[in-house]
Amino acid sequence: PKAITMGQLYGESDPNTREWADGVLASIVRECCSDETEVKKWVIFDGPVDAIWIENMNTVLDDNKKLCLNSGEMLGMSDTMSMIFEVNDLSVASPATISRCGMVYMEPESLTLSPLVFSWIERLPELLPESLKSDLLVLFDTYLEAGLTFMRRFTKESAVTVNCNIAQSLMRIIDTFVLKLNVPEGFEPPKPEVIKSVADNMTSIFLFALVWSVGATTDEIGRSKFSNFVRSECSNNGVAIPFPTAGLVYDYCIDLTTGKWVEWLMTVEEHEISGSLSFAEMVIPTKDSIRNIFLLEKFLTHRFHVMCIGPTGTGKTINIESYLMKNMADKYVPLVTSFSAQTSANDAQKFLDTKMEKRKKGVYGPSAGKQYIIFVDDFNMPQREEYGAQPPVELVRQAMGQVGWYDTVTLDFKKIIDCTYVMGMGPPGGGRNPITERVKRLCNIVGYVEMDEASQKIIFNSILGHFLADFEKDVSKMSSKIVDATSIFYNKVSNDLLPTPIKPHYTFNLRDFAKVIQGVMMAPPKRCISGTHIVRVYVHECYRVFRD
């Protein structure tokens, strides 16, 4: 109900022509009333209930059982019709509404995670050996509850999550490794060595999935705690191939051919900077960008929706866009849009509707054989209404959960197929709003964290070193010293100069680090001929970025 305006829900008269246009609900109720069979008919409202749109339902929900429209029409509900409201909470609903409905409270704790785990294990590819299913159950019993309890108690999350979603995220990550064994009939079955490599490395795949589901939503401090937790659990349970001792468990991925853990940087070849690129176009692979792109590829090629959450300057947009534009296979077509505070659900729907082709009656999507990857940046920017809902977010939730939306003109339900959604957003605060829990449950959440010092230095050393290579010897040897100094300075400033009540927006991020280096790269080679010159340029840039 929140993915469309109130006029589109009940119907409204056009202010210019005074002509009445029906709403989605009116057409659904009319359709149900005209069906005189004894079949039970349910009208389901899946979305937040607030005191405004629901007040108009009061005559429907009490003994009158009539929907009264602004046009003066009254639609009586038949005895075979009932209404269901599926809501997250009733914090903004009026007592008048609540007293007219029966309440069913679903308690998350009472369900536990075992039904999810059992049903998922039943659906595993048949080619996997039976013994593997019992091994997986043991792994879930050993690590999942303990990991969730540890994460909830000792780490801070960048976005609030629920246990069921994190458990499903873990299963989806394992799916990205095992679903390739599901080969349709008539196609060549996978080679025995492929099945063996998956079966033999299942413990490692599970641990990798645990790290990137249970441990993926926290910040840097939380990651180091969770890393120690996973290592101690592995040693207590005698894991055959434990994580290497250097760094964090987040720094490694599993190589299925050898069965060993390898560092992310080892999985890509050396990167050379080409001279013609502008500063903003230079992308240097670091372990952060490599692993985030690896996870993106895993999810998107298996049609799982992804939500990337992290502070400004951690490379969410550039990572996702560079991957979508350059590395995706031909059958995937990227659509990039970004939400602002003023975006309405109708704007978002119009943008997406213009890109869709009609496949058959009521079914729309990309041209046949293609898949849309829809990237929505700044997903939590839209302004919240008086009662806290964000219509564009509700529209995307409807598209992911119900696979379509209502056409606002013809009022028919349009099924939208072959679309996978990627959302980028910063943590709530400073103009960005907290989003509803009910959209997060449909996605795998990948947390982006600030880069560690080693990654910062790799990036800026290679960019600045490449730029200063043509300068005098005195100047070019200063490049690593400048980067080290900026790193020390940036860490000191961002830890000590915190936002004040007068300047609450004053948070330093990696963009400030980049601005200093970018400023130094404006030095002209002909005039900057000694170490003193480049240092003076550098000091000037630090004043300009940090002191100002």
Side-chain angles (χ1 to χ4, degrees):
K2 281 289 180 188
I4 47 180
T5 62
M6 195 132 104
Q8 289 164 343
L9 184 67
Y10 290 109
E12 59 193 337
S13 53
D14 188 321
N16 303 322
T17 62
R18 297 293 174 90
E19 195 180 332
W20 175 259
D22 247 346
V24 173
L25 176 63
S27 83
I28 291 176
V29 171
R30 198 175 282 122
E31 188 186 330
C32 292
C33 294
S34 61
D35 182 354
E36 291 174 1
T37 58
E38 288 300 302
V39 179
K40 201 76 168 120
K41 293 168 274 291
W42 306 92
V43 181
I44 301 183
F45 295 85
D46 177 0
V49 165
D50 64 41
I52 296 199
W53 76 264
I54 199 79
E55 277 306 299
N56 302 328
M57 303 281 294
N58 283 348
T59 50
V60 184
L61 299 174
D62 62 18
D63 295 343
N64 296 329
K65 281 196 149 189
K66 284 192 174 73
L67 179 63
C68 307
L69 301 174
N70 279 354
S71 61
E73 185 183 6
M74 291 167 115
L75 298 171
M77 278 173 68
S78 61
D79 293 337
T80 55
M81 281 174 69
S82 302
M83 295 202 166
I84 295 181
F85 298 88
E86 192 182 333
V87 298
N88 193 28
D89 57 39
L90 290 166
S91 54
V92 289
S94 67
T97 310
I98 296 174
S99 61
R100 288 177 162 88
C101 302
M103 294 289 147
V104 179
Y105 174 62
M106 303 279 196
E107 195 180 32
E109 277 72 33
S110 58
L111 181 68
T112 70
L113 300 174
S114 40
L116 290 172
V117 176
F118 289 136
S119 60
W120 175 77
I121 284 183
E122 287 299 308
R123 295 197 310 273
L124 281 172
E126 291 169 5
L127 294 171
L128 287 173
E130 273 300 310
S131 60
L132 202 63
K133 294 186 177 178
S134 53
D135 295 350
L136 269 168
L137 270 177
V138 173
L139 288 169
F140 274 104
D141 285 348
T142 313
Y143 295 100
L144 183 56
E145 283 291 350
L148 284 167
T149 310
F150 181 89
M151 186 265 290
R152 296 259 177 260
R153 191 171 297 168
F154 298 109
T155 69
K156 184 175 153 223
E157 288 189 289
S158 50
V160 184
T161 54
V162 288
N163 286 356
C164 320
N165 176 32
I166 288 194
Q168 284 174 307
S169 300
L170 191 154
M171 296 166 206
R172 286 196 283 258
I173 296 176
I174 300 176
D175 277 342
T176 62
F177 287 94
V178 300
L179 284 181
K180 59 186 176 189
L181 306 182
N182 271 341
V183 178
E185 275 185 32
F187 284 81
E188 202 175 307
K191 296 186 172 125
E193 53 264 30
V194 174
I195 302 171
K196 188 174 184 309
S197 75
V198 171
D200 290 352
N201 293 311
M202 191 46 88
T203 307
S204 299
I205 291 174
F206 180 88
L207 288 172
F208 176 83
L210 181 83
V211 168
W212 287 107
S213 55
V214 181
T217 58
T218 177
D219 54 11
E220 305 96 292
I221 303 159
R223 283 194 173 189
S224 64
K225 290 180 184 171
F226 190 76
S227 178
N228 295 338
F229 164 78
V230 171
R231 284 199 167 119
S232 67
E233 287 290 302
C234 288
S235 65
N236 294 347
N237 294 302
V239 171
I241 311 171
F243 284 96
T245 48
L248 304 178
V249 293
Y250 295 87
D251 301 343
Y252 299 94
C253 69
I254 181 71
D255 182 354
L256 289 181
T257 47
T258 60
K260 291 196 172 83
W261 293 104
V262 288
E263 287 189 45
W264 289 108
L265 280 168
M266 299 296 163
T267 60
V268 294
E269 59 249 27
E270 282 284 310
H271 181 75
E272 286 291 318
I273 301 180
S274 72
S276 58
L277 291 177
S278 72
F279 185 81
E281 290 168 334
M282 294 180 187
V283 178
I284 313 292
T286 61
K287 61 186 180 194
D288 301 85
S289 62
I290 295 166
R291 68 191 172 197
N292 290 332
I293 284 177
F294 175 85
L295 290 165
L296 259 185
E297 180 167 31
K298 280 278 188 205
F299 294 136
L300 297 185
T301 50
H302 290 87
R303 298 198 196 181
F304 297 139
H305 309 297
V306 193
M307 186 177 284
C308 301
I309 304 178
T312 315
T314 45
K316 298 183 295 296
T317 307
I318 197 158
N319 252 194
I320 296 169
E321 284 189 355
S322 68
Y323 172 65
L324 293 184
M325 301 304 176
K326 293 176 192 158
N327 303 359
M328 288 298 279
D330 287 346
K331 72 169 187 168
Y332 298 100
V333 181
L335 289 184
V336 179
T337 178
S338 93
F339 283 172
S340 71
Q342 302 307 320
T343 306
S344 72
N346 284 1
D347 297 339
Q349 190 170 342
K350 272 182 195 145
F351 167 77
L352 292 170
D353 271 340
T354 54
K355 309 286 184 195
M356 301 294 171
E357 289 185 14
K358 186 171 180 179
R359 293 283 194 87
K360 55 181 187 210
K361 188 175 186 295
V363 179
Y364 295 79
S367 47
K370 300 277 186 197
Q371 295 255 340
Y372 272 150
I373 306 282
I374 298 170
F375 172 40
V376 183
D377 207 2
D378 291 328
F379 188 58
N380 54 351
M381 271 296 196
Q383 234 166 350
R384 301 175 80 175
E385 301 181 338
E386 190 181 344
Y387 291 103
Q390 290 168 290
V393 172
E394 292 293 322
L395 180 84
V396 172
R397 181 170 76 82
Q398 187 177 15
M400 292 195 290
Q402 318 287 343
V403 202
W405 48 66
Y406 282 93
D407 188 312
T408 50
V409 181
T410 64
L411 306 184
D412 295 328
F413 187 75
K414 291 170 76 164
K415 194 172 174 189
I416 306 285
I417 57 169
D418 290 343
C419 291
T420 310
Y421 293 82
V422 189
M423 279 75 76
M425 58 183 251
R432 293 185 291 255
N433 303 301
I435 59 167
T436 166
E437 296 298 296
R438 303 195 59 205
V439 75
K440 292 181 209 153
R441 72 186 172 87
L442 298 160
C443 313
N444 270 54
I445 297 176
V446 178
Y448 277 59
V449 293
E450 291 270 350
M451 269 178 260
D452 56 10
E453 273 184 59
S455 297
Q456 291 169 12
K457 287 178 182 173
I458 287 174
I459 290 180
F460 294 116
N461 269 326
S462 54
I463 291 178
L464 191 59
H466 173 74
F467 172 73
L468 293 180
D470 308 337
F471 282 65
E472 297 287 328
K473 196 83 193 282
D474 260 7
V475 178
S476 56
K477 71 177 189 201
M478 297 293 283
S479 103
S480 62
K481 290 180 184 171
I482 287 177
V483 173
D484 290 353
T486 316
S487 178
I488 295 168
F489 198 53
Y490 166 73
N491 289 332
K492 181 90 179 135
V493 166
S494 50
N495 290 334
D496 295 359
L497 298 182
L498 299 171
T500 60
I502 304 163
K503 294 183 177 168
H505 62 280
Y506 223 76
T507 49
F508 290 99
N509 60 48
L510 276 175
R511 286 191 186 153
D512 301 308
F513 195 135
K515 276 180 193 152
V516 174
I517 302 296
Q518 193 176 2
V520 174
M521 286 170 64
M522 288 176 182
K526 294 201 171 76
R527 290 177 57 195
C528 183
I529 49 178
S530 73
T532 320
H533 289 161
I534 196 80
V535 171
R536 286 172 67 180
V537 172
Y538 165 69
V539 171
H540 167 77
E541 290 306 323
C542 287
Y543 267 35
R544 195 179 61 86
V545 173
F546 293 114
R547 189 190 190 198
D548 291 359

